[in-house]
Amino acid sequence: MALFLSPPKLVLLAVHLAVKADIDSLTSLAAHRGSVLRKELLLRILLTYLPETLRSSDYVTLIEHIERGDFPESQLDSTENEQKHEIDVSSVESLTEEEAIKKVKKLRLLPLSSPEAPSTAEVAADDTTSLFLLRRSYKVDEEAGLLTELPALLAPFLDHSPAIRSLLLSTILPLLRRNCEYYPNEPIPYTLAAFQRLPERTIANVLLSQTGAREEDYGQIGRDLKGMIAPWTLNRKRWNNKGQESGSAEGLTPRGPDTDEDLCPGWNQVLRWLTANASKNWRVAANAFDQWEGPQSVDLGGILGGGEETQLNDEQRRHLDWTYAQAALASTYLISNASIEALEGAYAILNRAVIITNQDPLPPLQNAVGLLAPLAEQVDGIVASPKNVTYLRNDFLDSSNVLTWPTETSTAFCQALIISAFILTRAGSPCTLRRVGELALLQDEREQKAEALKLIHALANQGPKTDDKFWMKARDEILWLRDWGAEDAWGATDSRPKGIFSQLKKEFLEVEFLKALLTNTRYALAKSIYEDSVERPLDEKVLKDAVFSTAMTAYDNASNPNRTRGGLKKCDDIIKAFPNTISKSDPVAQKIEALLQATHALSEFRLVLKQGEPFTPVVLRVHADPISIIDRILEQNPKSYIRLHDLLDLGARMVKAGLIATTKTPASKQQHSSYTAATISPEEEEKQRLTAERRITAMCIDAALTEDDFETAYSYILNRLSSPPSSRNRSSTPSTVVIEDDYSWKAALQAGKYRRTSRTVRPTHLGTNASANPEIRHLEQRIECLSTALRIAPTPTLQEILNAFRRAEEELDSALKAEEEAEDAWDAAGDSMHGHHGGGQRVPGAFGTPPGGGGTRQHISATGIGSGGSSAAAAAARSAKSSSDSRHQQLKHKQTEEAPMSLFDLSRASVLSAQKNLSALSSLQRVAGGLGGHLGGVAGGLSGSVGGLVGGFTSSSSNTTTNAAGRNSLSSDRDRDMMRPGSRGSTSTAGGMTNSFYSDGTGGGEEGNGGGGQQGRVRKRDQLREAAMGTLVSGVGWLVGAPAPAPTHSQAQGGNGNNGHRREE
């Protein structure tokens, strides 16, 4: 029936079958009624009414038959075909012709070409199949969103039209992979038509928006570039007219005036994306260049049947390759991460650029660093010019950038920079490729020096302590960084090195490396390189300076002042590591040795200069006034002032080490070169030593006074300050060494002002000429201190010292006067006791009254000594009393009338006082002589012994009085005590004559005479023995409270015995 329908009904039936998606019936209908259902009409019906959700594979065969114009059914019999394909015509069978015509007129069939479909504009109007396929593709995407159905629809027709090929490969395939395959969870919100209308740069950014966004997707970066970017760039429409010239590349260069970044804006944006990621996340760029071999590597998914042919000519492909290599070089410079891994990634990127441009592949980075191949010859002056430093910051993708355009020179330069940065970073001094490039191009000596020092210090701090191979390799690397492997005898025309340390002298690098070796205790290796080698890298003077500087650095870094540990031990070992270069007699070595000794001496004391900070050796070296540290030692270590000898030795070592008070700031003193180079003359050193000695002595005196040890301070003043300073230098004499001593007189003055308190340390002994009164003795010592201060003080300060001297002398005079008054009162009390002895008063220190005896003194009878002896003793006592009273009156009168006005007046007063004391001594001697004469008459043998004892006493008393001329009243009082009964000083006279002057009976003389007649004769030796024993008991017994000895038989008969003895004689 369908074969006999009118044309309007056939059209309506075809529309009905298209709506129902009855492809088989529609195919049969088109095969038998092709005259009515022409190609364009049938395609328009399919375009308008065929459902967009229908799978492309269901109707693509129909499109192919329509395109070819041959249907398999046309070859069949009409009756058999109709039976085989029964077409339902019920939808149009009941319609009249008029109704069918009206409905046909109401059909709104879509045109095959439309401005809404961008690709249709590129197809000729008579190419209805291409127009249908393009229009159908846009409709399927817009109406159904079935972008995945389009490859099956268009793939059979790739060769039919370039427009279909371009749409499928350059637009549909990248968009399909972006939204449906690679990142279905983050699709881009663009239809096929909208996506195709986007600017080229935007399309590149949209396609790569998710590439490398997550770390787990780093392995898919190459996939994205191959599957989306590479196919997208195959479209010739991406290229400007310059790129659409003849495919022949003959006569053209990859870099010339016609090379422009706008040649392919989309591709240029891809390169910018690569370089941008290199600066932000180098791993993305490294993976991109590692996984994508270049624009020639395209993944079309087998659509072309494995041919993978492109639409680009040779010049376009060459442009893509070279710009891709330039982006690789630019990415290496833009990597801002200074790590070993980042540098290895940069080296891999560089190797990609080398391979793309058909250069020799680079060896692995570790091998290249190990070989240190010479690269300086491959780097010409054009690339290494300072003006090219701007290309390290800008215009990375510009064709005029000589650093990023992939030539053999630029790649060699980049390789040298990567190796240099790798050496720095591996050693512990991280450095980016751009930073290394600036060092090589700018050739700033200060910057290069800073980076070299940073590298060597990193080696010193992190290098192994025992691996000599490591240090030998490190030295080779440092020297390679200076010239990138160029020979020293390079040629006069181009002898300037081109490394990152090109502006530094080789000597400087050798010196700094030597310091690193010494810092890491590689003494044997340093000695073998710089002292024992035939060609010594350093001169002797330079070697010495380097060793001294390193030793001082070790000293400054020390935390323990003990020279057998830590930094001080290292300092000592460094000096001794080069015995052939640095001898013990070297002045600087001696200076450092003195510094070590001084510092070690400080370790014996507790020392804190700042609260909470322990003392470190560097504080001593940079201290503005090192000698003042001894003052802190005295403050923090009790009784340390008694170690004066040790402290003086410490001060001498400080001076020997050059640690003297200067006007230099601590910052300037920290310079090792200035310390080791600074020397002073022997005369100046001796002057500084003497000054330090006086100053330290004054410090110890002040410390002793602070701790109330006046005796030690007094001893230091008399023994250390009273004499002129002595020089240790044999060539100098005290007359030639003049020092400015502003410390000694102040210390002596402070000692002179010191007042004795209860906390004052008591003296261990008084001395031979010292007063027994501690107050008087202290005042005398103060006056001696002030006298020393007067001798050594400068003239402007004498008035202050004289005032203190006058006050001390006044205090001494007052103390002497008080002592004399006390002595006078004691004498008066004793005299009054003698006069009223019978009234029951007792003499202080007297023993109990013997039984049967009174308290009155008995004189010797005329038989013995007689009244002459009594008269002589009384006369001697009165003479001593008169002399003492006269002396007291004169002294009082002198004290009231005379006041010393100067040092000369004081001396004259002392002489006068000594002359007055001599008269008292002479009277005492006369009394002692008279007593000795009378005692000599008692017995010949006894008189010799007693006379000698009395003579010895008087001699001792005379010497004591003469030596103590300044203590007038005290000496006279001692003389007076000798005449007092029971006194210690009167042992020889009163003690020996106890039985003569103090008799137990009232009539001793008569009784003695009578007794002598009744008793027998006594032998002479018995008399001498008894007299000697009586003398000892009388003289010593009162000390222990013993009673007076009873008179013996010989004493009772003393008169007869004496007379008998005389008669015998």
Side-chain angles (χ1 to χ4, degrees), residues 25-177:
S25 299
L26 185 59
T27 302
S28 177
L29 183 62
H32 292 87
R33 302 300 301 267
S35 59
V36 177
L37 298 176
R38 297 184 302 273
K39 179 179 178 181
E40 181 178 357
L41 176 61
L42 186 57
L43 292 175
R44 292 182 63 184
I45 292 174
L46 293 175
L47 179 64
T48 306
Y49 294 104
L50 188 66
E52 286 79 7
T53 57
L54 184 64
R55 293 184 303 175
S56 299
S57 59
D58 293 341
Y59 64 91
V60 68
T61 304
L62 174 60
I63 304 302
E64 292 178 346
H65 289 313
I66 295 174
E67 169 62 21
R68 291 194 302 266
D70 55 341
F71 294 91
E73 292 80 2
S74 62
Q75 306 298 328
L76 300 176
D77 182 69
S78 59
T79 304
E80 183 181 355
N81 184 53
E82 184 178 358
Q83 292 177 355
K84 186 176 179 180
H85 300 282
E86 293 184 359
I87 301 174
D88 185 9
V89 295
S90 59
S91 61
V92 296
E93 185 179 8
S94 61
L95 294 177
T96 63
E97 292 296 328
E98 291 80 6
E99 292 175 346
I101 293 173
K102 288 181 180 179
K103 287 187 176 183
V104 169
K105 291 181 178 180
K106 291 180 179 180
L107 295 176
R108 298 291 186 265
L109 297 179
L110 296 175
L112 296 179
S113 62
S114 171
E116 298 178 358
S119 298
T120 58
E122 304 174 8
V123 181
D126 57 348
D127 190 358
T128 56
T129 302
S130 298
L131 293 175
F132 167 80
L133 292 173
L134 296 175
R135 187 73 187 275
R136 176 67 181 179
S137 299
Y138 291 117
K139 280 188 57 113
V140 169
D141 179 63
E142 292 175 0
E143 302 295 336
L146 295 176
L147 193 63
T148 56
E149 294 295 328
L150 300 184
L153 175 64
L154 300 178
F157 303 95
L158 284 177
D159 298 332
H160 183 77
S161 172
I164 297 176
R165 182 189 186 94
S166 175
L167 177 65
L168 177 59
L169 298 181
S170 301
T171 305
I172 296 177
L173 185 61
L175 183 61
L176 175 64
R177 288 176 170 173

Side-chain angles (χ1 to χ4, degrees), residues 1033-1053:
V1033 173
S1034 323
V1036 182
W1038 69 277
L1039 292 174
V1040 296
T1048 62
H1049 175 74
S1050 61
Q1051 290 173 338
Q1053 302 296 331

Side-chain angles (χ1 to χ4, degrees), residues 504-576:
L504 303 180
K505 295 182 179 179
K506 185 179 180 181
E507 179 183 280
F508 171 80
L509 297 176
E510 292 282 9
V511 166
E512 295 302 322
F513 183 74
L514 170 61
K515 293 179 180 179
L517 287 179
L518 297 178
T519 302
N520 285 268
T521 66
R522 309 311 306 148
Y523 307 129
L525 179 61
K527 184 175 183 296
S528 64
I529 296 176
Y530 297 99
E531 189 178 58
D532 297 340
S533 61
V534 178
E535 296 181 359
R536 301 178 63 172
L538 297 175
D539 295 337
E540 183 175 351
K541 182 180 182 305
V542 177
L543 178 59
K544 280 186 177 182
D545 294 341
V547 172
F548 291 145
S549 177
T550 310
M552 295 311 303
T553 301
Y555 177 90
D556 291 346
N557 294 333
S559 59
N560 192 338
N562 193 322
R563 70 176 298 174
T564 62
R565 301 177 182 175
L568 264 65
K569 183 178 184 300
K570 181 184 288 186
C571 176
D572 193 19
D573 293 341
I574 290 173
I575 297 297
K576 298 176 181 178

